[in-house]
């Protein structure tokens, strides 16, 4: 059973909903009369992207990108490989990258560069969770849902071995879970 794997709920469904409403309202204010495209980073960003887009009361467009880091865990890593690109031409557009979590910052720093190079008018980041103490690459995050400690969490898009993304809250798992998968 799914429920028996869950140790502690750190951020509830209600808290996620409220914070997403606040960020959506802020983006609505900040981007009035601008041509905005939200780019969700697959797969983790899916729940946050779906919830956030419906709290932005502007005619935004949506796209998705899927990337993977080269040589994860190595100091030299800073490159990301695009596994599935966006379809949209972002030249002259205001891009908001939507992410579930920022950890080392490598993914976000690389994507920000890529979109700037392609001629976006501006590139900002909206991220649900920020593990600040893990940062290797400094990257400015304009919209942050919650700062969280360096603990292994799942839910609301965040996975362990591709599972638990569908949980509507952020939680930790019992250590026994990591032995079984
Ligand atoms: C996770 C997470 C972010 C990224 C953050 O994605 O969803 O996209 O890692 O890490 P960083 O700040 O150290 O770059 P992952 O590569 O696990 O893919 P997923 O979204 O499909 O789970
Ligand atoms: Mn991801
Ligand atoms: Mg993952």
């Amino acid at each position: 059973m799914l429920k028996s794997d869950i140790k502690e709920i750190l951020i509830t469904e209600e808290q996620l909903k409220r914070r997403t409403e606040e960020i959506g309202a802020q983006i609505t204010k900040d981007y009035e009369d601008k041509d905005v495209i939200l780019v969700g980073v697959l797969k983790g960003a899916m729940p946050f992207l779906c919830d956030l887009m419906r709290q932005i009361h502007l005619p935004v467009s949506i796209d998705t990108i899927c990337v993977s880091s080269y040589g994860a865990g190595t100091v030299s890593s800073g490159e990301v490989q695009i596994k599935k690109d966006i379809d949209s031409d972002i030249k002259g557009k205001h891009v908001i990258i939507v992410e579930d979590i920022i950890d080392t910052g490598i993914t976000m720093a690389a994507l920000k560069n890529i979109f700037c190079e392609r001629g976006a008018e501006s590139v900002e980041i909206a991220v649900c969770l920020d593990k600040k103490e893990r940062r290797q690459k400094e990257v400015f995050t304009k919209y942050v849902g919650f700062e969280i400690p360096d603990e292994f969490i799942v839910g609301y898009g965040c996975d362990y071995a591709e599972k638990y993304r569908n949980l509507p809250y952020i939680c930790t798992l019992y250590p026994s879970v990591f032995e079984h998968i």
Side-chain angles (χ1 to χ4, degrees):
M1 270 292 284
L2 182 60
K3 264 230 156 116
S4 57
D5 295 346
I6 294 153
K7 190 177 165 207
E8 191 192 352
I9 294 175
L10 301 182
I11 305 169
T12 66
E13 195 171 354
E14 190 53 41
Q15 286 175 299
L16 287 166
K17 187 169 175 284
R18 264 207 308 273
R19 191 70 191 108
T20 304
E21 282 167 6
E22 287 171 4
I23 294 172
Q26 191 61 53
I27 291 174
T28 304
K29 258 193 206 157
D30 294 349
Y31 287 85
E32 206 191 338
D33 298 324
K34 290 192 170 128
D35 193 358
V36 179
I37 178 165
L38 304 177
V39 178
V41 186
L42 298 173
K43 303 171 200 166
M46 285 195 290
F48 186 48
L49 176 67
C50 291
D51 289 343
L52 182 63
M53 70 164 89
R54 288 174 293 172
Q55 298 301 331
I56 299 173
H57 306 294
L58 300 170
V60 298
S61 57
I62 314 291
D63 211 328
T64 56
I65 193 165
C66 186
V67 296
S68 68
S69 305
Y70 280 120
T74 65
V75 210
S76 61
S77 175
E79 292 289 304
V80 304
Q81 183 192 6
I82 297 176
K83 294 203 283 188
K84 178 240 166 263
D85 209 336
I86 52 171
D87 307 313
S88 321
D89 180 5
I90 56 166
K91 203 165 279 158
K93 292 191 182 166
H94 294 273
V95 175
I96 304 175
I97 307 171
V98 181
E99 256 290 38
D100 54 339
I101 185 165
I102 177 164
D103 186 3
T104 63
I106 288 169
T107 308
M108 281 304 93
L111 280 183
K112 223 173 174 174
N113 276 340
I114 290 168
F115 295 145
C116 285
E117 277 169 15
R118 288 183 188 177
E121 180 70 29
S122 71
V123 183
E124 299 293 354
I125 293 166
V127 63
C128 184
L129 306 172
D130 186 355
K131 263 191 192 176
K132 229 176 196 149
E133 45 190 291
R134 294 258 310 159
R135 203 73 91 253
Q136 288 177 26
K137 285 234 168 188
E138 254 345 290
V139 54
F140 174 67
T141 46
K142 190 164 188 189
Y143 307 100
V144 178
F146 302 87
E147 277 186 27
I148 55 163
D150 183 15
E151 249 186 291
F152 195 85
I153 55 88
V154 295
Y156 202 58
C158 297
D159 69 303
Y160 169 59
E162 294 298 329
K163 301 273 167 57
Y164 306 103
R165 296 190 199 273
N166 56 319
L167 291 169
Y169 40 74
I170 303 294
C171 62
T172 55
L173 297 171
Y174 282 112
S176 58
V177 173
F178 305 105
E179 292 154 23
H180 295 313
I181 296 181

